[in-house]
Amino acid sequence: MTTDVHPLFPTHTAESAPADARSTVENVKRKFGYVPAPVGRMATSPQLLKGFLAASATFEQTTLDPVDREIVVMTVATRNGCHVCVAMHTATLVRLEAPSEVVEALRAGKPLPDGRAEALRSFTLAVMDHRGAVGDEEMRAFLDAGYSARNALEVVLGVGAYTISTFANRLIDAPLDPPFHAFAWDGDDR
């Protein structure tokens, strides 16, 4: 289990963060009412923090609907073993009132009960597994499920944004903030 203290990656506040990260950390604090521990630790590199937040915000503006975006994020998070991302995005799916069987399947890395959603999850895995060189059959299945070429590129954006987050959270050993304890994940769902 992680702790609040890390020898290389302190959990910065807006006051203790490097100067280049202070305004970013302050903005996150205004948005959430506190500084999430992963943000505090990512602030050790102002550029990483800003890059992730910018990529994540851009992903939120895609034409994929909110639950579809969460399917992409959860697929990346479970594949990369990021307990923080899985917990945080489980909370988001619950807030979005996603069906519990969808949430449970995503946490377990299993096929989704809805064909369209499963096409998105499978396509996301294909993007990751083939480093973007998705085969014709996988692309056709994605398009046949009602997604577009634009959506395919938006999945790539989501994979990129949340690869930054999942890798950084694992590197910094990010602790899970109390609001997400109820959604804790240690990979045992898989």
Side-chain angles (χ1 to χ4, degrees), residues 74 77-79 81-83 85-91 93-94 100-111 121 180-190:
M74 287 286 283
T78 56
R79 173 58 66 91
C82 181
H83 74 284
C85 292
V86 172
M88 290 177 73
H89 292 278
T90 297
L93 283 164
V94 168
S100 60
E101 58 272 8
V102 168
V103 177
E104 290 166 16
L106 284 167
R107 287 174 61 95
K110 298 197 187 284
R121 187 189 78 88
F180 304 107
H181 285 176
F183 305 104
W185 180 82
D186 61 10
D188 285 346
D189 296 14
R190 292 174 58 91

Side-chain angles (χ1 to χ4, degrees), residues 3 12 35 40 50 63-64 72 91 93 96 99-100 105-106 126 140 145 151 170 176 180:
T3 65
H12 287 289
V35 178
K50 289 175 187 177
T63 61
L64 292 168
V72 172
L93 283 164
L96 292 171
S100 60
L106 284 167
R140 178 57 38 214
N151 295 146
R170 290 175 56 96
L176 190 60
F180 304 107

Side-chain angles (χ1 to χ4, degrees), residues 66-185:
V67 171
D68 282 351
R69 289 192 304 266
E70 293 303 316
I71 290 170
V72 172
V73 173
M74 287 286 283
T75 302
V76 174
T78 56
R79 173 58 66 91
N80 290 342
C82 181
H83 74 284
V84 169
C85 292
V86 172
M88 290 177 73
H89 292 278
T90 297
T92 301
L93 283 164
V94 168
R95 190 184 76 245
L96 292 171
E97 299 180 356
S100 60
E101 58 272 8
V102 168
V103 177
E104 290 166 16
L106 284 167
R107 287 174 61 95
K110 298 197 187 284
L112 300 176
D114 173 77
R116 187 174 195 289
E118 176 54 24
L120 175 58
R121 187 189 78 88
S122 293
F123 183 77
T124 303
L125 289 170
V127 167
M128 295 173 71
D129 291 346
H130 304 296
R131 298 178 313 273
V134 174
D136 291 343
E137 186 176 314
E138 293 155 315
M139 181 62 79
R140 178 57 38 214
F142 181 70
L143 296 173
D144 287 349
Y147 293 101
S148 67
R150 179 177 180 167
N151 295 146
L153 291 171
E154 292 170 343
V155 168
V156 171
L157 174 60
V159 168
Y162 284 91
T163 295
I164 293 169
S165 176
T166 59
F167 283 16
N169 282 326
R170 290 175 56 96
L171 179 69
I172 64 178
D173 197 22
L176 190 60
D177 290 310
F180 304 107
H181 285 176
F183 305 104
W185 180 82

